[in-house]
Amino acid sequence: MTATVAKLPYELLSSILETAASFNARHLQQYTYGLDTTTNGKAKRTLRGHVAPDASRWLSTKSIRCVCRQWHDWATQYALRDLYIRRWRGSERWIQSRELHTIVGLPSRDVVYRDSYCSLRKTVKLFTRYPALASSVRRIFFDGFYDTETSAMIFEILQHCSGLESASLPWTTLRYGNSDMWAMLLRRRKDGTALTSLELLAVDLKQSQTAEAARQMDKRPLDSVQVNFSQLQRLKLSGSSNLMPVDDDDLVAISRTARLQEIHITGTTAVTTKGLIALGCASQDTLRVLEHSPLSDDGFKHPDAALSTGDGKHLCEEIINCPRLSSLSISLPTMCSTLFSAQDSIKWTGDVQIRAAGICPFGSLKQSNEARRAFFDILAQSRLLIDAQKAKGIELNIEFFI
């Protein structure tokens, strides 16, 4: 039977094996569990969360890997296609008994030490010893590694991932990684492939962590001409940090070589329209998706455009000069009817969101009747644009936050 199946075209065989793996996954354990106490002091098993997707894929292909070499190689590529590496958080203790119902209160024996960076260290060793496994990785995600030591290990893993297409990295890698590391990550490989999607994820650290001298280091890799973003198609910056966040200067440096198709900048206070427009102008001929949603002082609700006004430059013309732009969600210092005037060339589709602090050149709507009349003109122009797109068979909805 195996010999007969092996003669099938690889695409068909891959589809069959993927269906089998998906079927196996439905019969695996889907959740992880822990211990908690009830009102009467007894310990009970509690639900903690879902089993990680990459772990589930690995377990679902266990039987497939045992059949033959071809199936083993397919199962490895399938299981390692998306890899999630997280810092271990929590604590563990030995319990007094193997019988759960006999435990009174929480487990109270010796604390079990576990290296928080164990998963990262083991991945480094695995990929260094078996680089063929690393070549199967297409998307990789790192979470919880924010110091110099772990940044070095992250780049050590990345250098073995010869087929990597998408990477989600802590923002600190942009500070602690040197120019050689970043040039290696962004380079075009011998087979013509390259990293096409990069996400930099930022979080606030504890005050004790930000005060450490070792964390204040910035190797400034973007100053080097070796670091070239021309192969990158998608860039996403997410979150805000109290330690050397990604800011306008970084985006200006990236814009020197970037030719992006998608720009996503969300939930940050460090990036203003200065950095956004630098990226947008550099990618004017290729840009298809533009999202800019800065974080307001009141928390992550409706983004506050007033925080990112920069020098107050009129930006409406810069946006409509992107001929391929189809998806837009942006915060601007001010806006005017020019933003909707090029009805023949605009290719916006779906839901478009525009947030602005005021109207060009009058400022806030509360300041003058001219500003309110200009806003009515904007509404009229936007309705004409919606009708023009509808005539082309394109559905367009425009939302204003002002």
Side-chain angles (χ1 to χ4, degrees):
M1 178 65 181
T2 304
T4 304
V5 173
K7 296 179 180 179
L8 293 173
Y10 182 79
E11 293 79 8
L12 180 57
L13 176 61
S14 178
S15 178
I16 293 172
L17 294 179
E18 187 167 354
T19 301
S22 299
F23 179 80
N24 291 342
R26 291 199 294 268
H27 296 276
L28 294 173
Q29 179 176 312
Q30 302 294 322
Y31 303 96
T32 58
Y33 299 90
L35 294 179
D36 200 356
T37 54
T38 61
T39 53
N40 58 6
K42 293 285 186 179
K44 67 173 182 178
R45 188 172 70 165
T46 58
L47 187 67
R48 295 184 61 187
H50 285 278
V51 174
D54 51 351
S56 180
R57 281 196 304 275
W58 181 260
L59 295 174
S60 69
T61 56
K62 180 179 179 180
S63 59
I64 297 176
R65 291 196 300 273
C66 299
V67 176
C68 65
R69 179 70 185 199
Q70 183 187 28
W71 290 25
H72 179 277
D73 291 344
W74 178 91
T76 301
Q77 293 177 4
Y78 174 81
L80 295 178
R81 183 177 56 199
D82 298 335
L83 191 61
Y84 301 84
I85 304 176
R86 297 177 176 85
R87 176 176 176 268
W88 183 79
R89 297 178 177 89
S91 60
E92 294 177 349
R93 292 177 181 269
W94 294 110
I95 61 175
Q96 303 95 320
S97 172
R98 293 173 181 261
E99 302 296 331
L100 186 61
H101 68 274
T102 64
I103 301 175
V104 178
L106 287 173
S108 58
R109 298 294 289 272
D110 297 335
V111 174
V112 181
Y113 171 76
R114 183 170 177 177
D115 182 6
S116 298
Y117 304 147
C118 179
S119 59
L120 194 64
R121 299 184 200 278
K122 286 187 175 181
T123 305
V124 171
K125 293 180 181 178
L126 178 67
F127 284 178
T128 302
R129 186 173 181 181
Y130 303 105
L133 291 178
S135 66
S136 300
V137 178
R138 296 295 177 266
R139 185 185 188 280
I140 196 165
F141 177 93
F142 296 94
D143 179 34
F145 308 106
Y146 308 125
D147 58 28
T148 55
E149 179 189 5
T150 55
S151 292
M153 286 191 283
I154 287 173
F155 280 106
E156 191 172 351
I157 291 171
L158 293 175
Q159 73 176 349
H160 294 296
C161 299
S162 57
L164 191 64
E165 298 172 356
S166 175
S168 298
L169 311 178
W171 86 104
T172 47
T173 55
L174 197 62
R175 305 303 178 208
Y176 304 147
N178 59 37
S179 58
D180 291 335
M181 293 174 177
W182 276 98
M184 174 274 300
L185 176 62
L186 298 169
R187 75 185 188 282
R188 186 180 181 88
R189 308 180 189 105
K190 293 181 180 179
D191 60 358
T193 62
L195 185 76
T196 57
S197 177
L198 175 65
E199 298 183 19
L200 296 175
L201 312 177
V203 298
D204 281 332
L205 300 181
K206 296 178 180 178
Q207 187 174 0
S208 58
Q209 292 175 311
T210 59
E212 294 176 10
R215 293 181 184 267
Q216 304 299 324
M217 176 178 58
D218 185 359
K219 296 185 178 181
R220 303 186 64 83
L222 299 181
D223 291 346
S224 172
V225 295
Q226 300 179 61
V227 181
N228 191 317
F229 288 83
S230 60
Q231 300 299 317
L232 205 65
Q233 298 178 10
R234 178 178 180 269
L235 176 65
K236 180 175 181 179
L237 309 178
S238 179
S240 187
S241 177
N242 54 0
L243 176 67
M244 296 186 294
V246 180
D247 56 20
D248 289 339
D249 292 337
D250 298 313
L251 297 193
V252 170
I254 292 173
S255 69
R256 298 189 189 113
T257 55
R259 298 296 180 268
L260 300 168
Q261 296 182 17
E262 297 186 24
I263 300 173
H264 304 266
I265 302 175
T266 62
T268 178
T269 57
V271 174
T272 71
T273 50
K274 175 185 175 182
L276 176 71
I277 295 304
L279 273 183
C281 291
S283 307
Q284 199 170 64
D285 295 332
T286 57
L287 192 62
R288 295 186 295 104
V289 179
L290 179 59
E291 179 185 8
H292 177 228
S293 303
L295 193 66
S296 70
D297 284 339
D298 297 327
F300 191 66
K301 49 178 186 178
H302 146 51
D304 184 1
L307 295 177
S308 58
T309 54
D311 57 4
K313 181 181 177 181
H314 181 66
L315 305 175
C316 301
E317 293 182 1
E318 301 291 342
I319 296 172
I320 63 173
N321 286 335
C322 298
R324 298 187 178 183
L325 187 63
S326 59
S327 179
L328 178 65
S329 175
I330 192 170
S331 298
L332 296 170
T334 56
M335 66 174 177
C336 65
S337 58
T338 305
L339 192 59
F340 311 95
S341 60
Q343 298 175 9
D344 294 334
S345 60
I346 288 179
K347 297 182 179 179
W348 302 349
T349 63
D351 295 330
V352 170
Q353 295 184 340
I354 299 175
R355 296 165 290 272
I359 306 298
C360 310
F362 308 105
S364 173
L365 287 175
K366 300 178 181 179
Q367 292 182 357
S368 66
N369 292 328
E370 289 83 358
R372 286 187 283 273
R373 283 195 290 268
F375 182 60
F376 293 146
D377 188 28
I378 289 173
L379 294 177
Q381 288 289 340
S382 63
R383 293 187 184 103
L384 290 175
L385 176 60
I386 292 174
D387 292 338
Q389 292 297 85
K390 187 176 181 180
K392 301 175 186 177
I394 300 174
E395 183 178 355
L396 174 65
N397 300 306
I398 301 177
E399 299 180 49
F400 293 104
F401 300 87
I402 191 167

